[in-house]
Amino acid sequence: MISIRQAAPPDAQAIFAAESAYIDCPWSEEQVRAAIQNEHTVFLVAYNGQTFCGYVSGDITLDECEINNIAVVIGYRRNGVALALMTELFDKLRARNVKTVYLLVRYDNVPAQELYKKCGFAVVGKRPNYYKGKDALIMRLYLQ
């Protein structure tokens, strides 16, 4: 059974390991720990019992949020973990009166784009060469 909760400083090591394994430009463990403790960041983790499954983080500015990163450990992908993380994130954002959510996704990361579209995001622009020479799509979601 997957449970989702607010990240805490002891989660930083597992998050950093996922960052290093799955993110093109990973944050350091210190950056992760600082983000967890930042009042303007929503940082959620998913666990299956004691096993770390993934995380999502987003920075809030006024009534907008930019999702920083989302990653799911390989053994838990395509099992609803990312969707559960996003759903919980949206609930937390609504509670903080966030109206619009943005994210960047590599143009060739089709599985992630499918997830984001399933969540209601739409492509609104492009950033050339954002990911080590690869373009990023800018996606936006209006929260209801």
Side-chain angles (χ1 to χ4, degrees):
M1 174 96 176
I2 302 298
S3 63
I4 297 173
R5 62 169 171 76
Q6 183 69 35
D11 297 309
Q13 188 174 14
I15 294 165
F16 171 69
E19 280 272 315
S20 299
Y22 307 122
I23 304 295
D24 287 340
C25 300
W27 289 1
S28 69
E29 190 172 339
E30 293 77 24
Q31 288 172 306
V32 170
R33 191 170 283 106
I36 288 170
Q37 296 173 329
N38 183 334
E39 68 181 84
H40 300 291
T41 301
V42 177
F43 215 129
L44 304 175
V45 289
Y47 278 84
N48 181 10
Q50 299 297 314
T51 304
F52 176 81
C53 301
Y55 71 96
V56 64
S57 70
D59 289 330
I60 298 172
T61 304
L62 301 174
D63 66 348
E64 295 183 348
C65 175
E66 182 173 348
I67 294 178
N68 298 317
N69 284 325
I70 180 169
V72 174
V73 175
I74 287 177
Y76 289 93
R77 290 183 181 174
R78 300 257 183 216
N79 289 307
V81 175
L83 184 59
L85 281 163
M86 295 293 273
T87 300
E88 184 69 19
L89 175 67
F90 298 154
D91 289 346
K92 300 277 187 208
L93 295 175
R94 283 186 196 96
R96 292 179 64 170
N97 297 313
V98 170
K99 305 292 182 215
T100 309
V101 183
Y102 292 93
L103 60 80
L104 297 172
V105 61
R106 206 174 60 232
Y107 81 95
D108 60 351
N109 188 343
V110 175
Q113 291 175 43
E114 289 173 356
L115 167 69
Y116 303 144
K117 288 176 183 173
K118 185 175 184 177
C119 291
F121 283 87
V123 175
V124 295
K126 181 171 77 169
R127 287 209 178 136
N129 301 314
Y130 185 79
Y131 290 107
K132 296 181 180 177
K134 294 185 179 184
D135 294 348
L137 299 177
I138 303 167
M139 299 185 81
R140 176 180 61 207
L141 168 69
Y142 294 116
L143 290 176
Q144 302 297 322

